[in-house]
Amino acid sequence: MCATFFPITWEKFKTVNQNNSYMADILKEHLSLVQVDAALQSADIRGIGLLDMLAESGHQKAELFAMIAAHSGMESTELSSTEPPNSAARLITADIALRYRIVPLRKSSEALFLAFGDPLNLETIDTLRYLFKEPIEIRAALPEQIDAALNRLYPETDESAQSILLQMDEDEALLFDEDSEIETEDEEPIIRLVNLLIMEGFRSRASDIHLEPLSREFRVRYRIDGILREVEGPPRRLHPSVISRIKIMSNMKISEKRLPQDGRIEIRVMGRDIDLRVSSIPTNHGESIVMRILDKKSLALGLPNLGFFSADQQAFEKLIKLPDGILLITGPTGSGKTTTLYACLNHLNRPDRKIITIEDPVEYQLSGINQVHVRPDIGLTFSTALRSILRQAPNIIMIGEIRDRETAEIAVNSALTGHLVLSTLHTNDAPSAVTRLLDIGVKPFLVSSSVRAIMAQRLVRTICEHCKIEVRPTEAEKTLVGSVDRLFKGEGCASCGQTGYTGRKGIFELLNIDDEVRHMIYSGVTAAELRTKARELGMRTLREDGLRKVGNGITTLSEVLRVTMRDEA
């Protein structure tokens, strides 16, 4: 087996909620019970650490952390920007330091001194004592100080793909036999190369990493802000080694090269816990892999971050606070539907509400919410799961996608019996969702009586604030955007990769199902007729909402035209 300690997956030994509970018991000896309990409840709802929650209310985090460390019989230490000295990096390998999040401090004749950020994690502490085979003394330091010290002592950015490849001669490039499932001690260059590809994707804000074998090259592309960008890839001969390494990390079968496979990697990159959802598919030139990057920090996303104007956000918040009915989010793949659903759940997540989700797959784990992973291979489909969870007496149900008649009818019945149902459909605009439900086989009177609102959405790239400049609109642009004297665009800079854009925001089309629209649905009108009536009643189309954001300097006209169809007259 491989001699390196670099992890195939970096596991979390305790969840945030478990740590919060342990810390709360300790801090109750020093602080008010009411204060600690209130902070614990808020921290669990928001999915953050208890110390961070208490720090927001005015407590000194360092003092609280010292109390936790003292309770564990551990001394605490402060790591400044210059401590420990750079020479300390030679005391332990980068692999071990990064895997266990430990910082070497110094070495004396008695012991090796290490700093660790989780004094309650006794399992890791025991592992470290066994691992080093010598006496060690562990000091507690704040996790953010640990991360800062690790980034300084073991800078991950020092290596480039080119420097790794230069270390590999022709023999090292063939680390895996075509059918080999055994790692060797010479795999370290490939391990570092794969981790570099992941780190670069994460640092570039990529949502996906595409590794594609072509006839004469190994193509690597990152999807950044919805647009694929090709980067310099490794030599074609490294394709089998890189793919095998990723399949090992994601627990796929290395020997299976004829069928598609799915896997998952949990890893820590640049101090952040991320999940990689991995998909492999055989092509005529070898296996192609796509890794979807799921950053757990994005779970803090709230409704204001989605891109609503204030009035639109208030209208949307009223809809998701309704006691029952169906709220549908529609749009093509990659339009941000799942992100919007998670933002809704974060907004609605309270101790007095029971929320259950049915997803395929569960992309993010939400604190305080019951999440069900659909598994059709064992008969756990959307419809069977939905039928069962109704016995769990939930207040709110989130269905990842309504795909068939059975799921749609159970969702409708759930809405009619006092549940709020959030779900998605693949349609181009909001009125088309009604037609889609009718085509699936749901009766018109059930659609009209259960659906409360439908929101279509797209994602547009936002102008980079570092290189944003004002431009004079042309007459053609004034015709589209309206009477404006100025527009904005990004010139392109290092911050945005010379694209002029950084990040994405949503544009929205919200159809409220009022009595007049409900009567039209019951009468079986077409989507075009429904769309015309909705616009008469004040519905703003995707393009119109996008043009408002162009006029406000959020995005550009070309972005809105790229993602929206021409509005129906």
Side-chain angles (χ1 to χ4, degrees):
M1 294 297 291
C2 182
T4 180
F5 287 103
F6 202 94
I8 290 177
T9 58
W10 290 355
E11 300 177 354
K12 296 176 67 176
F13 290 98
K14 290 181 173 65
T15 64
V16 171
N17 282 6
Q18 286 175 323
N19 269 339
N20 283 348
S21 298
Y22 297 153
M23 286 189 286
D25 292 337
I26 297 169
L27 293 177
K28 284 177 182 177
E29 300 175 6
H30 306 275
L31 304 176
S32 160
L33 270 66
V34 175
Q35 191 176 33
V36 173
D37 285 337
L40 177 62
Q41 186 178 36
S42 299
D44 286 347
I45 290 174
R46 292 173 55 184
I48 65 174
L50 177 61
L51 298 189
D52 292 321
M53 194 69 236
L54 288 168
E56 289 183 8
S57 60
H59 291 276
Q60 292 296 319
K61 186 175 180 179
E63 294 178 4
L64 299 175
F65 187 79
M67 296 175 188
I68 302 295
H71 182 86
S72 302
M74 193 179 299
E75 294 181 21
S76 57
T77 185
E78 288 277 339
L79 299 180
S80 68
S81 58
T82 58
E83 294 178 353
N86 291 335
S87 58
R90 295 193 293 268
L91 296 177
I92 63 176
T93 66
D95 302 339
I96 296 176
L98 294 173
R99 177 177 184 178
Y100 295 102
R101 314 306 295 167
I102 54 174
V103 174
L105 299 175
R106 65 184 185 278
K107 188 172 184 178
S108 68
S109 57
E110 289 81 24
L112 171 65
F113 289 79
L114 306 170
F116 184 50
D118 189 358
L120 297 177
N121 195 337
L122 302 180
E123 184 176 352
T124 297
I125 294 172
D126 289 342
T127 300
L128 293 173
R129 297 191 188 282
Y130 172 81
L131 183 65
F132 282 99
K133 308 294 185 185
E134 64 177 307
I136 62 172
E137 287 290 333
I138 298 180
R139 302 288 183 259
L142 286 169
E144 51 265 37
Q145 294 181 1
I146 293 287
D147 288 339
L150 287 173
N151 289 335
R152 182 170 56 82
L153 294 177
Y154 306 101
E156 297 175 281
T157 56
D158 283 352
E159 281 189 315
S160 65
Q162 193 62 32
S163 67
I164 292 175
L165 296 175
L166 287 175
Q167 301 174 40
M168 304 169 63
D169 56 27
E170 197 73 23
D171 293 329
E172 284 182 312
L174 302 175
L175 299 177
F176 286 90
D177 182 74
E178 197 63 26
D179 296 314
S180 172
E181 295 188 38
I182 301 175
E183 297 178 64
T184 71
E185 294 187 4
D186 298 323
E187 289 173 5
E188 189 175 354
I190 284 292
I191 293 173
R192 299 207 315 275
L193 177 58
V194 169
N195 284 284
L196 178 71
L197 290 172
I198 295 172
M199 187 192 74
E200 287 295 328
F202 178 78
R203 188 167 56 182
S204 302
R205 300 179 296 104
S207 59
D208 305 279
I209 302 172
H210 295 250
L211 307 176
E212 304 160 321
L214 305 179
S215 58
R216 295 186 178 181
E217 63 177 306
F218 185 9
R219 184 165 67 177
V220 177
R221 295 191 289 177
Y222 296 139
R223 188 179 295 279
I224 302 172
D225 296 333
I227 306 296
L228 280 172
R229 299 186 200 169
E230 186 169 353
V231 298
E232 184 177 357
R236 179 65 175 82
R237 67 180 186 271
L238 296 185
H239 172 260
S241 303
V242 171
I243 297 301
S244 294
R245 172 61 185 166
I246 294 172
K247 290 171 77 172
I248 288 173
M249 295 174 71
S250 53
N251 295 317
M252 295 182 186
K253 295 179 181 178
I254 301 179
S255 59
E256 181 55 76
K257 298 179 172 65
R258 301 167 300 170
L259 296 174
Q261 295 188 72
D262 293 312
R264 195 162 193 153
I265 301 171
E266 188 173 284
I267 196 169
R268 189 174 180 86
V269 177
M270 300 172 69
R272 299 256 288 276
D273 291 320
I274 65 171
D275 285 340
L276 299 173
R277 205 173 73 206
V278 185
S279 171
S280 74
I281 190 170
T283 70
N284 57 337
H285 295 299
E287 289 180 281
S288 173
I289 276 188
V290 175
M291 293 184 281
R292 169 68 59 87
I293 299 177
L294 305 173
D295 181 10
K296 296 181 180 180
K297 188 175 181 180
S298 65
L299 285 181
L301 188 68
L303 293 177
N305 304 108
L306 297 179
F308 288 110
F309 286 118
S310 58
D312 297 333
Q313 181 180 327
Q314 290 173 8
F316 187 69
E317 286 181 2
K318 288 181 181 178
L319 290 171
I320 64 176
K321 289 178 181 178
L322 291 173
D324 55 32
I326 298 177
L327 174 61
L328 291 174
I329 313 294
T330 76
T333 301
S335 60
K337 300 187 299 297
T338 302
T339 300
T340 299
L341 286 179
Y342 276 117
C344 292
L345 294 179
N346 272 330
H347 187 79
L348 295 169
N349 191 9
R350 297 290 184 272
D352 60 339
R353 296 173 181 152
K354 179 159 186 174
I355 303 175
I356 302 182
T357 74
I358 309 171
E359 305 172 63
D360 183 19
V362 174
E363 292 194 359
Y364 297 102
Q365 295 182 4
L366 300 173
S367 175
I369 292 178
N370 301 278
Q371 296 173 270
V372 179
H373 183 181
V374 170
R375 292 188 58 188
D377 56 320
I378 61 172
L380 184 59
T381 63
F382 277 104
S383 57
T384 55
L386 184 54
R387 190 180 294 108
S388 298
I389 67 172
L390 291 176
R391 304 189 192 102
Q392 297 283 314
N395 301 105
I396 301 167
I397 301 169
M398 191 271 271
I399 307 169
E401 181 185 350
I402 293 179
R403 299 179 178 178
D404 52 45
R405 175 179 176 178
E406 188 177 8
T407 303
E409 288 183 340
I410 299 174
V412 166
N413 291 331
S414 302
L416 295 175
T417 53
H419 303 87
L420 177 63
V421 179
L422 309 177
S423 191
T424 69
L425 275 178
H426 283 89
T427 62
N428 287 326
D429 59 11
S432 297
V434 173
T435 307
R436 174 66 177 150
L437 288 174
L438 297 176
D439 289 342
I440 287 177
V442 183
K443 291 181 173 27
F445 76 90
L446 290 175
V447 175
S448 63
S449 57
S450 62
V451 178
R452 298 288 181 262
I454 304 167
M455 187 174 76
Q457 69 176 65
R458 300 288 189 277
L459 292 176
V460 293
R461 292 182 292 172
T462 53
I463 300 172
C464 175
E465 293 296 330
H466 293 91
C467 59
K468 186 176 184 178
I469 61 170
E470 182 180 328
V471 295
R472 301 289 296 180
T474 65
E475 291 302 319
E477 289 172 335
K478 286 183 178 180
T479 302
L480 285 170
V481 181
S483 179
V484 295
D485 295 325
R486 59 179 187 168
L487 295 177
F488 296 89
K489 72 172 187 178
E491 279 192 305
C493 63
S495 296
C496 60
Q498 307 302 324
T499 64
Y501 300 98
T502 303
R504 292 189 290 177
K505 295 288 186 182
I507 58 175
F508 307 98
E509 176 179 287
L510 184 59
L511 171 61
N512 277 298
I513 310 297
D514 59 13
D515 289 339
E516 193 169 355
V517 174
R518 191 172 291 114
H519 178 73
M520 293 182 68
I521 295 172
Y522 183 78
S523 302
V525 299
T526 65
E529 293 172 317
L530 192 60
R531 184 177 182 82
T532 300
K533 174 55 69 174
R535 295 194 66 181
E536 290 175 2
L537 296 173
M539 184 188 79
R540 188 179 296 112
T541 66
L542 286 165
R543 175 163 291 188
E544 288 168 345
D545 190 49
L547 293 178
R548 285 204 307 160
K549 290 179 169 67
V550 172
N552 280 268
I554 297 172
T555 187
T556 62
L557 183 59
S558 60
E559 267 299 288
V560 174
L561 298 179
R562 179 177 67 87
V563 301
T564 60
M565 307 181 302
R566 181 175 297 277
D567 290 329
E568 296 288 344

